[in-house]
Amino acid sequence: MTAEEDTSYTKLPIEERCVHKLWKARISGYEEAIKLFGQLDEKAPEWNKFTGIVKKFVIDSNAVAQEKGLEATLVFVENSATAGRTVGDVMTGLITKCYGAPKAKTKDIAIQITLMFIEIEKQDIVIEELVKGMDHKFPKIVSTCIKAATQAIKEFGSKVLNIKLLLKKLQSILEDRDKSVRDEAKLLAIEIYSWIGPTPVKANLANLKPLQIQELETEFEKINSDKPRPTRFLRSQQEQAAKMEEVAAANGETILEEGTDVVDDPEEHIDPVNILSQLSKDFYEKLEAKKWQERKEAIDMLEGILSKAPKLESGEYGDLVRALKKIITKDSNVIIVGIAAKCMAMLANGLKKRFETYASACIPALLEKFKEKKQNVVLPLRDAVDAIYLSMTLESIHEDILTAIDNKNPSVKAESVSFLTRCFSKCTPTILNKKYLKIFTTALIKTLNESEDKKYCTMSFAIALVLLK
């Protein structure tokens, strides 16, 4: 082949060179494409020539040409308005042909393209493809998929990504046979934990081996308590920030960094669990058994189910609440009572506002049970009344608290005042208005004369005064 024949491809259009059978021709095409992509308007019609073929850039059979093809793809995704249409095909090519590549630069550019797809608002498809890639038979590809997911969270934060899909996958990749996969999975777990906290992460790792859980707990303890912030933003977020800066500049104002913080609710990353379907057929029968061993077996089972279900499906929980209430108020075994109170707290926390239906029937009984002085009962009772209060209002609960404060039993009185103090700490001046303040003040002044309870009354008064101001 003569030199003239060898370079004849240079006369071809760029898009034809990019799919030419000669690898040198493809490199020439990619290099010209990079220049072109940097000059075109995002909505220019010329992009359509490349939209259907860009998926081939990333799977080029020649390693040198593939690297240049990846560079062209990155510029394409960054600048073309049509890039979003290519995300599925390109991501498949990146994962199968680039994520496991021996050259570090190939993998690096592939991850950069992945992150750029997220920036142009295709984050859901990207996460779905990465999760699929975590099932690949080659560990190198799996570990790079995990690494890309970790990097995505680190840069964009948890709010704009489907963390739930990654959480569901976390346990299986932490248990992978390949050490490199497990190591990357651990880094992913740590990154997710730093953004959304312990509840969703631990809920999805409940069946992990104790040794692995212990190792992760050690790493979690090292995490800085300061919540991380995104360092990179979606295009829509960038546009919004630019508009805010323009308005502020026009008005002579200064935009504070991260001035519009969005609180990430960990609950949104957890799937609700149907615990009622997991109860054994003889569950309620065992709770009524004469032998304490059978009652404890049933309540232990419930505790195990609830401990793995921080968020509960809606349903009819009346029978379960009544059964727990009966154990708490009437069972003679304090160990069983303590576990039942713990279950009541987890039930209320899992249902949140939906527990309101059952709350008013539970609070009086739980406050009355504070006559029991053993700590393995008192501590879970405190957790239970606090959890239940979150589904109620001060208006709906105030009569029960006043009755409990007036109880003759010193322990009931003291714990009720302590509970009221915690309720006050969650109130705003609007909620704790003068009407209720007067009602509670009268009761607390009466209780203040009893030396055993002065510390609780003083705390309540202090919080009330702060709220009034």
Side-chain angles (χ1 to χ4, degrees), residues 328-329 362-372 381 385 400 403-404 407-409 411-413 415-416:
I328 291 169
T329 55
C362 295
I363 285 292
L366 295 179
L367 292 176
E368 175 70 25
K369 191 62 182 180
F370 276 120
K371 62 188 177 185
E372 175 60 62
L381 277 176
V385 293
D400 293 327
T403 300
N407 195 291
K408 293 180 180 179
N409 186 293
S411 296
V412 173
K413 191 187 296 287
E415 287 293 341
S416 298

Side-chain angles (χ1 to χ4, degrees), residues 420-427 432 440 444 460 463-464 467:
L420 178 61
T421 302
R422 298 194 297 276
C423 292
F424 278 178
S425 70
K426 297 179 178 72
C427 290
L432 187 59
F440 287 121
L444 290 170
S460 298
I463 294 171
L467 289 168

